Amino acid sequence: VRASIVLAGLGIASAISVIMVAQFDDRWPFWAIVMVSTAVGATASSWTGVFLAEVARAAPSGQVSAATGGSIFFTYFGLVVGPTVFSALIALGGSYQLGFYVIAGAIFLASLSILPRRDKVPRAQGSS
């Protein structure tokens, strides 16, 4: 399976599980909260190895260190900025739900953006 498909699948699963977290309330049974939380943890932490392998594979010859270092910079930048953005969303929405929905949406859009696309090959003129 292509790495982009694995990464997109993990992202979509992560987005779905984050949306489920946004639905937590006191009616949820403990075992269900544990299952959803496990899914969030598994999908949120399992992509890094595949991601770095794909960055290294796609990097130009002799540029693997620069490519992986640059990608990790932006990845961890999100870890620094993310909690502040999440807090602002909680303040705006008055609950955690808006924060979780925004995160899920960002994950989902990023996942769609890395799915492989089939480029349409133009037909040669005169062929039918």
Side-chain angles (χ1 to χ4, degrees):
V1 178
R2 294 175 62 179
S4 57
I5 293 172
V6 172
L7 289 169
L10 286 169
I12 291 167
S14 181
I16 291 168
S17 59
V18 168
I19 288 170
M20 292 176 71
V21 168
Q23 305 306 310
F24 284 172
D25 63 22
D26 58 356
R27 295 175 302 212
W28 276 66
F30 180 73
W31 65 266
I33 292 171
V34 169
M35 295 299 291
V36 171
S37 298
T38 301
V40 170
T43 57
S45 63
S46 62
W47 61 271
T48 53
V50 178
F51 171 72
L52 288 176
E54 186 64 5
V55 169
R57 185 197 63 76
S61 180
Q63 296 296 312
V64 172
S65 296
T68 55
S71 66
I72 289 297
F73 169 81
F74 288 105
T75 300
Y76 282 97
F77 181 74
L79 291 175
V80 172
V81 174
T84 303
V85 171
F86 191 77
S87 296
L89 291 169
I90 292 170
L92 284 172
S95 75
Y96 286 89
Q97 280 189 323
L98 178 61
F100 284 122
Y101 288 143
V102 169
I103 289 171
I107 295 168
F108 184 75
L109 291 175
S111 299
L112 292 181
S113 75
I114 62 172
L115 280 172
R117 289 173 179 51
R118 287 190 175 164
D119 293 332
K120 293 186 177 185
V121 179
R123 294 163 97 174
Q125 285 191 332
S127 65
S128 49

